Amino acid sequence: MAWAKGLALVAGFALIVAAVVWLGVAWNASRVPGSFGALELGPTDFGGGAPVARHEQHVGARGISVVALREPKAPPDVRIRLVAQTAEIRLPSGRTVDALTFDGRVPGPELRVHEGDFVEVTLVNKNVSDGVSIHWHGVDLPNAEDGVSGVTQDKVLPGGSYVYRFRAPYAGTYWYHSHQHSADEVERGLYAALVVLPRRPAETTDIVALAHTLKGVPLLNSSDREERRRLPAGTPVRLRLINSADVLRRFGLAGTTFRVVGIDGRDKLGGRVLDGKSVAVPAGGRYDLAFRMPQNPVRLAVRGQDVGLVLDPGHGAAPETQFGAEFDPATYGAPAAPVPSRFDRHFAVNIGRKLGFFKGGMKLGWQWTINGKAFPNMPMYMLRAGETVEFSFSNKSHAAHPMHLHGHHMLVFARDGHGVIPWWSDTLEINPGERYDVAVIANNLGIWMFHCHNLPHAAQGLVTHVAYEGVSTPFVMGTASGNEPE
Ligand code: C2O
Ligand code: CU
């Protein structure tokens, strides 16, 4: 029997050694240096296409720095100054919140510009100690204006400033937010709406409905309860739904029929009239609804929350809140664009979880993965200017992931392997078990963040980049530099 005991002892010992080795390897793989460039992260993924050169830090003469990818100078049509500062916000319910703000308000100033305007925004940081930046969510602008600390600029410290210049490319609904410690700073108030109006004057009344959770308090625009607004019957309305919270929001519109006329800053044409449908807006996403103000009040509500907006023509009772079947963009309106017939690269984005460590920490836990790899070993998607590429998302985790690509719109053309009516999106909700195929035209040189817009997920590592051949960045992320975009 002694030999059996011995064998068990040896086996047990081997198991412990294997476990320790596994833990060591997993821990080591999770480590990130105190300072690293965006291109120094995960292994390259060429999507089955020709390998392209990846320019590391301090690139030679042939590379283009993100810093050079600016809008050509022009006299600005619009000049804006935004001051990031702490403030105590008093909400309509009487509750007060210690917030981070643009110009002392939450949300920050709603910016309205016209399509084609040359916009110049000076960001000043008065006293936000971790530093700030501004990312123009959904605006496909030159890389240097993208506002990602550690990738396209350094964070702006208290006393500092930074000037963004871009031409507003498409009429539509956008928003802006800090991309330094974004999971924390956006939640605490550093966000606001950006509306790009069409050139031709429209008699439409534009109403923004921006849903947020401010340090646990649900908000619609600047209110934590239902607000009322007078609006004469017969007014054409464009209601711009924006979700700046970390999870999906369901909106219900009662008292009128409506059409969905825009998604993520692109017009949605040819849609039929809807009655009583709920509109689910992913975290970071935008949906525009259009209707003509009826003789009776109209009520916009957010599912599960006390916030809302009643538009009141001056008579009649406000209708009951209504949340009907969910609107599905996949079966609505006219195709946004033809689906490309061939792709230069096919990128897989399979989201899952695995047991491991995070950033060299000592806590073993479930980490987010892409194609089986956890941060910082997520695939670095590499492509070449002028290509047309496909991204195929799948979600094998238990949570939804609103995936956001900077600098580009994705043409969504298939769900679960079946063709859909294509629509443009920059923030696409991928539910557990779902698969989406999207096309991206590589026409905007740079290094672009590509991440989940449930911002705590991004902060827990669900973040990677799409990089163009020959582009480098002089900026670094990590604890040493203090640039921490998530
Ligand atoms: Cu709205 Cu990378 O962000
Ligand atoms: Cu996520």
Side-chain angles (χ1 to χ4, degrees), residues 135 137 175 177 179 404 406 449 451 453:
H135 170 57
H137 185 117
W175 62 298
H177 61 80
H179 223 310
H404 173 48
H406 286 211
M449 239 188 169
H451 63 93
H453 222 286

Side-chain angles (χ1 to χ4, degrees), residues 226-352:
E226 187 174 83
E227 296 295 323
R228 209 165 250 274
R229 169 173 171 170
R230 276 303 272 275
L231 197 63
T235 312
V237 180
R238 189 170 180 121
L239 186 56
R240 299 169 181 274
L241 309 179
I242 310 177
N243 180 5
S244 62
D246 290 323
V247 292
L248 191 95
R249 286 274 177 275
R250 285 192 176 79
F251 292 84
L253 191 63
T256 182
T257 59
F258 62 91
R259 287 184 303 129
V260 173
V261 292
I263 301 177
D264 288 356
R266 293 291 180 275
D267 282 335
K268 182 73 195 149
L269 303 174
R272 64 183 183 279
V273 172
L274 303 169
D275 194 357
K277 290 251 181 195
S278 312
V279 178
V281 183
R286 291 89 60 214
Y287 276 68
D288 296 6
L289 316 183
F291 58 92
R292 191 172 285 277
M293 188 61 198
Q295 299 292 334
N296 54 277
V298 166
R299 173 176 259 146
L300 177 72
V302 184
R303 186 157 208 163
Q305 302 187 345
D306 297 330
V307 299
L309 182 63
V310 172
L311 302 173
D312 184 0
H315 38 77
E320 286 293 314
T321 307
Q322 192 180 347
F323 294 102
E326 204 157 285
F327 168 74
D328 184 4
T331 57
Y332 190 75
V339 179
S341 52
R342 49 164 292 279
F343 294 100
D344 297 295
R345 300 171 196 278
H346 299 265
F347 293 115
V349 189
N350 299 314
I351 303 168

Side-chain angles (χ1 to χ4, degrees), residues 178-203:
S178 179
H179 223 310
Q180 160 72 359
H181 286 183
S182 59
D184 178 55
E185 293 191 356
V186 176
E187 209 241 334
R188 290 167 72 189
L190 284 173
Y191 71 95
L194 166 65
V195 175
V196 180
L197 298 163
R199 270 269 133 219
R200 60 199 138 68
E203 24 356 310

